[in-house]
């Protein structure tokens, strides 16, 4: 018998404003959902294995037990957690998110798939738990921030094991995401920080605490519309992440040129090692975006809207 899937489900992408890596070790982090991240549509394919196609990410996979592809394994974990189907569907994904770039592509996939299996009325906690079964395939110790924000959207303060907090503010904050085009593995970067912490706990633990403090200061800066402080926090956060070993010379060079082109503050976002930079642009972000595009980059604007 073919078990059912719902017809359509969506999930957000995400950007981490401050607190990546430190959040794995219990510190607060601040992340925003990117609306319209990924839409999955399911159509019946009786008697055949489940096929997953996401053309924008070059994904065309059969979700069979012998498929070792991490995306296939993650999807099967999510469907298994949800007591979902093992055959009989084609799932088609539509997305504008870059994949494996620190914008929450894997969490968006796991969350949208959990929603496809559990339906639009399933509680958010259940969706997040189901999606984490998939996220653990990509790295063994996810804090859960990517999955939470993929499910909830909005601007969220997240502490591992505590209820997430929506951040309300007035006005809007313009941001620019700049994919570096350098592929990386979240798991490898998270392992690197864990090993550094094990090797030098008395030095690395306080560094993680300072990143946590930077998150709290960023929330205050957004709430009081102090973009000058927010820019300083972005710049400092990049240096702190670099001290943890998750930046690279190529990312640092790209960051320098984004600053030279007029950004107020720039940091890596997500796991680092490649992936994306996040910039706080001048009031009008268009000249920065145009200058980056002229240099061959593919920046995109994200606006945090207050509520
Ligand atoms: C990855 O988007 C964010 C990290 O903090 C890992 C995690 O929180 O699970 C690097």
């Amino acid at each position: 018998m073919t078990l059912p899937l719902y017809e359509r489900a969506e999930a957000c992408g995400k950007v981490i404003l401050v607190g990546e890596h430190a959040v794995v070790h219990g510190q607060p982090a601040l992340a925003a959902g990117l609306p319209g991240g990924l839409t999955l549509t399911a159509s019946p394919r009786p008697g055949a294995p489940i096929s997953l196609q996401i053309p924008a990410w070059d994904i065309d996979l059969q979700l069979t037990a012998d498929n070792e592809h991490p995306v296939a394994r993650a999807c099967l974990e999510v469907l298994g957690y949800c007591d979902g189907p093992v055959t009989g569907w084609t799932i088609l994904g539509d997305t504008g998110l870059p994949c494996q770039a620190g914008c929450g592509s894997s969490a968006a996939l796991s969350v949208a798939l959990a929603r496809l299996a559990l339906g639009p009325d399933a509680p958010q906690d259940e969706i997040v738990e189901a999606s984490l079964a998939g996220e653990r395939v990509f790295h063994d110790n996810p804090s859960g921030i990517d999955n939470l924000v993929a499910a909830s959207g909005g601007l969220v303060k997240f502490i591992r094991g505590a209820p997430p907090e929506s951040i309300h503010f007035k006005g809007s904050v313009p941001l620019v995401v700049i994919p570096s085009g350098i592929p990386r593995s979240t798991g490898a970067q998270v392992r690197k920080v864990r090993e550094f912490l094990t090797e030098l706990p008395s030095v690395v633990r306080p560094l993680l605490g300072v990143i946590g403090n930077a998150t709290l200061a960023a929330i205050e800066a957004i709430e009081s519309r102090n973009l000058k402080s927010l820019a300083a926090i972005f710049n400092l956060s990049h240096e702190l992440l670099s001290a943890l070993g998750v930046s690279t010379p190529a990312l640092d060079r790209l960051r320098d040129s984004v600053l030279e082109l007029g950004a107020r503050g720039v940091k890596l976002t997500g796991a680092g090692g490649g992936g994306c930079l996040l910039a706080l642009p001048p009031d009008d972000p268009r000249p920065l975006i145009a200058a980056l595009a002229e240099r061959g980059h593919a920046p995109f604007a994200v606006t945090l809207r207050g509520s």
Side-chain angles (χ1 to χ4, degrees):
M1 188 185 75
T2 300
L3 290 167
L5 282 179
Y6 287 77
E7 202 180 320
R8 195 168 177 279
E10 289 181 7
C12 292
K14 70 97 198 358
V15 278
I16 297 185
L17 276 79
V18 190
E20 49 273 268
H21 287 289
V23 70
V24 175
H25 304 280
Q27 294 295 328
L30 181 66
L34 301 177
L38 172 71
T39 302
L40 294 180
T41 313
S43 46
R45 192 183 179 224
I50 298 178
S51 147
L52 174 72
Q53 296 160 20
I54 310 178
W57 295 344
D58 282 334
I59 286 178
D60 186 354
L61 295 169
Q62 306 291 311
L63 305 189
T64 51
D66 60 352
N67 192 339
E68 287 298 310
H69 193 292
V71 171
R73 284 175 39 225
C75 289
L76 286 171
E77 288 294 333
V78 175
L79 291 174
Y81 187 99
C82 301
D83 292 326
V86 289
T87 60
W89 294 91
T90 293
I91 300 171
L92 183 63
D94 183 25
T95 179
L97 284 179
C99 78
Q100 289 189 301
C103 290
S105 54
S106 63
L109 176 57
S110 301
V111 166
L113 190 60
R115 283 197 171 128
L116 214 49
L118 298 175
D121 299 329
Q124 182 174 287
D125 287 3
E126 207 178 307
I127 295 290
V128 171
E129 272 314 310
S131 71
L132 279 168
E135 196 71 354
R136 284 190 198 97
V137 170
F138 297 109
H139 80 99
D140 54 7
N141 187 19
S143 66
I145 189 170
D146 292 10
N147 299 61
L148 187 272
V149 175
S152 70
L155 183 63
V156 181
K157 174 184 167 190
F158 180 92
I159 301 177
R160 200 167 190 172
E165 222 179 282
S166 290
I167 303 298
H168 300 285
F169 61 100
K170 292 200 172 30
S172 61
V173 179
L175 297 170
V176 177
V177 179
I178 305 127
S180 68
I182 305 165
R184 89 287 177 272
S185 142
T186 299
Q189 300 303 317
V190 169
R191 258 192 313 281
K192 196 193 277 187
V193 174
R194 190 177 59 218
E195 283 163 14
F196 201 14
L197 179 61
T198 307
E199 194 187 331
L200 279 178
S202 63
V203 178
V204 176
R205 178 82 55 202
L207 199 53
L208 297 171
V210 174
I211 295 178
N213 291 343
T215 295
L216 302 181
I219 294 170
E220 260 182 57
I222 290 173
E223 286 174 339
S224 60
R225 281 210 62 71
N226 186 344
L227 297 188
K228 187 166 172 261
S229 287
L230 188 61
I233 293 163
F234 273 24
N235 288 330
L236 184 60
S237 294
H238 185 84
E239 301 303 340
L240 293 166
L241 289 163
S242 190
L244 283 178
V246 297
S247 190
T248 67
L251 268 188
D252 290 345
R253 279 195 297 277
L254 178 58
R255 175 175 176 262
D256 288 347
S257 57
V258 179
L259 283 171
E260 272 161 27
L261 290 171
R264 297 200 239 188
V266 188
K267 64 181 282 289
L268 68 84
T269 181
C276 288
L277 296 179
L278 180 67
L280 185 66
D283 286 337
D284 180 358
R286 286 171 300 184
L288 175 66
I289 290 176
L292 284 165
E294 215 166 273
R295 293 188 178 193
H297 299 292
F300 58 94
V302 173
T303 305
L304 306 183
R305 296 193 193 286
S307 56

